[in-house]
Amino acid sequence: DVKVTQSSRYLVKRTGEKVFLECVQDMDHENMFWYRQDPGLGLRLIYFSYDVKMKEKGDIPEGYSVSREKKERFSLILESASTNQTSMYLCASSNHLRGQETQYFGPGTRLLVL
Amino acid sequence: AQSVTQLGSHVSVSEGALVLLRCNYSSSVPPYLFWYVQYPNQGLQLLLKYTTGATLVKGINGFEAEFKKSETSFHLTKPSAHMSDAAEYFCAASGGSYIPTFGRGTSLIVHP
């Protein structure tokens, strides 16, 4: 079974803190994604990566950065957390950059910024 | 660019009743279409997907969906709802772009 794990299920941070969200997949997938999920807005893509050290902006990259130093690990960084970044963050991976590939999701990290 | 519309943010059914969750997409190219399910406090998991071939796709847990090109639809159905089907359901589409576009989700509520 494909497994995507995220470093924390719940996280509470203060405004202005630097926040790291980690994601690890164990299926040697090429592609990894970070989404933000908010009620009524569905999933919105923040960043994705199709190879080590490669990254592309998604629909809402402002206020976020990413890092992919190893194939299995994709990190999302909030340089200076703000209250409007309180949300559920979902990581996903997929095998090839083709439209028909299934995405495999982690359990999510619920982030609260105070 | 793709867009995916899920009609109804909430759908409520009685246990044993038909489940119908609607999804329409807009695309200038033949799409790949997906339904994902999210149970409370979990990530999304694939229910079923359409890539090519048979337009009626069967998935896990008794769900199925039919790709109707003329209607640009991919509605999800299940003949008889079970309490365990209560979850958030997301339709997604990809085509010219390799990155899928997700709908806003439909919360399925199942009453005893």
Side-chain angles (χ1 to χ4, degrees), chain B residues 48-96:
Chain B
L48 49 81
K49 68 179 179 181
Y50 169 80
T51 54
T52 58
T55 56
L56 183 62
V57 182
K58 295 187 184 299
I60 61 172
N61 300 337
F63 285 93
E64 62 183 37
E66 186 170 12
F67 168 54
K68 292 187 176 180
K69 187 177 179 180
S70 61
E71 298 177 9
T72 60
S73 69
F74 192 56
H75 302 329
L76 182 71
T77 60
K78 181 174 180 178
S80 177
H82 192 273
M83 295 296 290
S84 61
D85 294 327
E88 189 89 14
Y89 291 80
F90 292 93
C91 182
S94 62

Side-chain angles (χ1 to χ4, degrees), chain A residues 63-76:
Chain A
Y64 304 94
S65 62
V66 290
S67 172
R68 193 167 181 200
E69 297 295 319
K70 294 185 177 181
K71 190 174 185 180
E72 68 271 18
R73 188 179 299 268
F74 193 34
S75 302
L76 180 69

Side-chain angles (χ1 to χ4, degrees), chain A:
Chain A
D1 276 355
V2 175
K3 194 158 187 183
V4 180
T5 56
Q6 296 184 227
S7 51
S8 304
R9 293 299 303 272
Y10 301 95
L11 213 50
V12 180
K13 296 292 181 181
R14 298 244 175 237
T15 302
E17 280 193 76
K18 191 168 185 176
V19 182
F20 293 87
L21 303 182
E22 303 283 336
C23 176
V24 177
Q25 51 93 4
D26 66 357
M27 284 302 292
D28 201 36
H29 281 173
E30 296 174 3
N31 310 312
M32 298 188 75
F33 308 81
W34 275 108
Y35 291 93
R36 172 175 172 160
Q37 182 181 12
D38 298 290
L41 298 179
L43 274 68
R44 292 180 291 168
L45 182 64
I46 304 172
Y47 270 96
F48 71 96
S49 169
Y50 54 90
D51 201 352
V52 175
K53 296 191 185 295
M54 305 303 291
K55 60 186 179 185
E56 294 285 343
K57 292 181 180 179
D59 300 319
I60 52 164
E62 296 79 19
Y64 304 94
S65 62
V66 290
S67 172
R68 193 167 181 200
E69 297 295 319
K70 294 185 177 181
K71 190 174 185 180
E72 68 271 18
R73 188 179 299 268
F74 193 34
S75 302
L76 180 69
I77 303 152
L78 287 66
E79 294 289 342
S80 178
S82 63
T83 54
N84 62 14
Q85 292 178 309
T86 290
S87 187
M88 169 74 95
Y89 290 88
L90 292 168
C91 176
S93 70
S94 68
N95 200 8
H96 299 292
L97 203 63
R98 294 181 307 204
Q100 71 262 42
E101 294 298 324
T102 299
Q103 288 184 302
Y104 296 87
F105 286 82
T109 296
R110 194 170 291 279
L111 173 66
L112 173 62
V113 183
L114 299 174

